[in-house]
Amino acid sequence: APWWAGRLARPVRALAGHAHDVVGNKAPEHWPRGKITELNQLSEDLETMAGTLQQREQQFLAIFNEAPVAIMVSDPLSGHRLVEVNDTWVQQFGHARDQVIGKTAQEIGLRLPDPLENSQRTEVRLNSKDGKELICLISSRKLSDARQPLTITVLEDVTRRRQIERELRDLTVDLEQRVAQRTQALDLVRGTSSRVS
């Protein structure tokens, strides 16, 4: 019995160790195989499952980082310390990812609305690292996960859009003033010509 127990315990410990490595984001090169068919099948299934999880994680990270809007993920239990930011966020605000993870938005100079969870497209003015003012539409959602609740915040830069809208308004006002001036001038010309005749 002890010999059989040892024969079963070694491959089970090896499988458990490999599964632990996968949880820690360290992909094992080879999954253990032995003489016990059932343990080999379990090892093969775990290897397939680990590969699928890693592939999904890579796809998620690719989508997250290639998103055309700035996204930050924060931990509401720690005062919204940043857990992750995407590449667009890094470009938009000018902070390196490794310098902001673990800090709050306030600690890096971003004054976000409070409370942050479940905010609806709020327009705020924020400064990038180099002091440039950005007008952003902010939306947040709190995700309740079994292990860790997270808040996902999208910060859409609408600075250029607002600038174009302001320029269009200025052009419209200018055009209306010109039309009013020309109308006045025409009225004067008509009034003068009617008095002459």
Side-chain angles (χ1 to χ4, degrees):
W3 180 82
W4 278 106
R7 189 171 177 208
L8 285 173
R10 276 189 300 277
V12 169
R13 273 196 300 271
L15 283 173
H18 280 62
H20 184 73
D21 288 346
V22 170
V23 170
N25 285 330
K26 193 169 88 177
E29 288 184 26
H30 303 288
W31 284 77
R33 301 290 196 272
K35 295 181 179 178
I36 303 171
T37 306
E38 290 80 4
L39 288 177
N40 287 341
Q41 184 62 51
L42 178 61
S43 180
E44 187 178 319
D45 291 345
L46 287 172
E47 182 178 14
T48 301
M49 185 173 64
T52 302
L53 287 173
Q54 288 169 347
Q55 181 182 7
R56 286 183 184 166
E57 184 176 353
Q58 289 170 354
Q59 288 173 338
F60 167 76
L61 285 174
I63 292 167
F64 178 74
N65 282 313
E66 294 299 321
V69 292
I71 303 172
M72 60 184 234
V73 181
S74 60
D75 176 7
L77 299 179
S78 69
H80 287 287
R81 296 199 174 276
L82 297 179
V83 174
E84 189 59 82
V85 294
N86 70 348
D87 291 346
T88 304
W89 188 97
V90 170
Q91 292 167 4
Q92 185 169 305
F93 293 104
H95 294 277
R97 180 180 278 113
D98 60 344
Q99 293 174 346
V100 297
I101 300 302
K103 294 183 178 178
T104 65
Q106 285 72 23
E107 289 173 343
I108 58 173
L110 295 180
R111 304 286 177 236
L112 299 179
D114 190 37
L116 192 59
E117 294 101 0
N118 300 323
S119 67
Q120 301 292 325
R121 292 178 64 82
T122 305
E123 188 170 301
V124 296
R125 294 179 181 270
L126 302 170
N127 290 328
S128 63
K129 185 178 181 182
D130 62 5
K132 178 181 170 188
E133 185 179 71
L134 302 172
I135 302 170
C136 295
L137 286 176
I138 298 181
S139 300
S140 295
R141 294 285 179 274
K142 185 175 180 182
L143 303 178
S144 296
D145 184 87
R147 289 179 297 153
Q148 178 186 14
L150 296 171
T151 299
I152 296 179
T153 305
V154 175
L155 303 104
E156 180 185 357
D157 183 3
V158 294
T159 309
R160 182 70 183 130
R161 187 187 315 167
R162 294 297 181 255
Q163 181 184 356
I164 291 169
E165 289 170 357
R166 190 169 50 251
E167 289 170 0
L168 284 172
R169 277 195 305 272
D170 292 347
L171 283 172
T172 303
V173 168
D174 185 49
L175 184 60
E176 287 172 352
Q177 288 173 349
R178 286 183 186 188
V179 168
Q181 288 170 353
R182 287 190 182 169
T183 303
Q184 265 184 333
L186 282 172
D187 287 345
L188 283 174
V189 170
R190 285 184 190 140
T192 306
S193 53
S194 66
R195 272 184 257 141
V196 170
S197 47

